[in-house]
Amino acid sequence: MNNTLRAALLEGRPVFGSWLQSGNSAIAEVMAKAGFDWLAIDLEHSTIDLETTFTLIQVIDLAGCAPLVRLSANDPVQIKRVMDAGAWGVIVPSVRSAAEARQAVDAVKYPPEGTRGVGLGRAHGYGPGFADYLRACAEGSVVIPMIEQKEGVEHVEEILAVPGVDGVFIGPYDLSASYGVMGELGHPLVREAMRRVVEAARVSGKAAGIHVVHPPGTQVAERMAEGFGLIAYGGDMLFLTPAAREAAKELRSLRD
Ligand code: 3PY
Ligand code: MG
């Protein structure tokens, strides 16, 4: 771990990442070498287990890309295990309050900043890198609560004020569901909630993030113009599906 990702977030420089939902190390390798700044291993909406998460973190890290984990829940035990495996940080689903954000920070950071338990893992070079990792973790580990419910939007200023929180990240689908307009990502209620989150992030000097789930990439430029700097774009399966369909369609057109 180094502090490049965290420094970019706190300096307001845009960072681009994507999402991994397959637990396949070759796909992770392709994605990590593609040029994204970071990749998030999605433990919330996939069947990826902890042992596979370890391998994916290893592949992403060794390819020179920042490995993040989107947790399945705000669980201090899961946070400790993925951080010990070498994740550079966590994206925490469905954070609704400052207390929940603080719980995630506590689990990522060692005392005195947090309460993370101390053990030796891959993050610590399996032992000899312990002192270096303590420094790297204090300087570079990233905690990004997701704002995906109305309650989270209503508390976004307090969530951003928690020390150790480096930004917030909107889950557009859950957010739309929370406002009763599931899947209508451009609905005025959703757009207004997003504006509040971006404005709160701007005022706090921290990053506003969003998942632009589907191509086209033109939406990315629009989100950046709105003030989003932490951009997740697509995902491994979201890239593969249209490419495979297009190839099959082209082949069928030669026959049908
Ligand atoms: C959502 O849209 O709710 C997400 O969590 C996307 O990552
Ligand atoms: Mg979500």
Side-chain angles (χ1 to χ4, degrees):
M1 184 193 303
N2 62 46
N3 73 349
T4 47
L5 179 62
R6 184 157 186 254
L9 292 176
L10 296 179
E11 285 163 19
R13 283 183 276 124
V15 287
F16 301 118
S18 190
W19 232 234
L20 295 184
Q21 285 202 300
S22 80
N24 183 289
S25 62
I27 292 178
E29 185 182 10
V30 169
M31 292 284 285
K33 287 183 169 171
F36 292 106
D37 300 314
W38 57 273
L39 288 173
I41 301 159
D42 184 8
L43 301 190
E44 187 187 14
H45 290 296
S46 78
T47 56
I48 299 173
D49 64 15
L50 196 59
E51 203 158 329
T52 304
T53 302
F54 178 91
T55 306
L56 300 184
I57 289 171
Q58 216 173 17
V59 167
I60 297 165
D61 202 5
L62 294 174
C65 180
L68 301 180
V69 174
R70 197 264 287 268
L71 304 164
S72 54
N74 189 1
D75 171 6
V77 174
Q78 189 183 59
I79 293 176
K80 180 166 52 184
R81 298 185 80 185
V82 301
M83 290 303 295
D84 283 352
W88 287 26
V90 293
I91 299 175
V92 192
S94 297
V95 173
R96 293 173 171 85
S97 67
E100 289 179 7
R102 201 166 297 114
Q103 178 180 316
V105 172
D106 275 352
V108 167
K109 313 279 183 179
Y110 290 114
E113 209 182 345
T115 55
R116 177 170 161 192
V118 185
L120 303 177
R122 180 178 169 274
H124 319 81
Y126 306 100
F130 182 64
D132 287 344
Y133 178 71
L134 292 190
R135 267 190 300 277
C137 182
E139 287 171 14
S141 60
V142 165
V143 181
I144 311 286
M146 289 188 76
I147 305 295
E148 1 186 41
Q149 284 82 23
K150 212 170 160 186
E151 268 175 286
V153 174
E154 279 157 12
H155 296 119
V156 67
E157 294 81 6
E158 296 106 90
I159 290 168
L160 279 159
V162 172
V165 165
D166 304 301
V168 286
F169 192 96
I170 290 175
Y173 277 97
D174 276 313
L175 191 65
S176 65
S178 167
Y179 282 90
V181 290
M182 197 193 308
E184 292 179 51
L185 309 188
H187 191 282
L189 286 171
V190 179
R191 303 292 301 151
E192 184 46 40
M194 288 185 186
R195 263 194 296 278
R196 177 161 171 188
V197 171
V198 171
E199 178 56 13
R202 192 190 62 75
V203 169
S204 72
K206 295 179 177 180
I210 192 159
H211 194 172
V212 176
V213 179
H214 299 286
T218 46
Q219 284 176 61
V220 172
E222 285 170 26
R223 297 286 98 91
M224 289 173 73
E226 288 162 8
F228 289 99
L230 170 63
I231 307 278
Y233 181 55
D236 51 358
M237 304 318 289
L238 289 161
F239 294 142
L240 183 58
T241 304
R245 284 185 177 175
E246 195 49 43
K249 190 171 146 200
E250 207 176 315
L251 291 175
R252 275 201 314 271
S253 76
L254 302 174
R255 184 187 62 193
D256 300 339

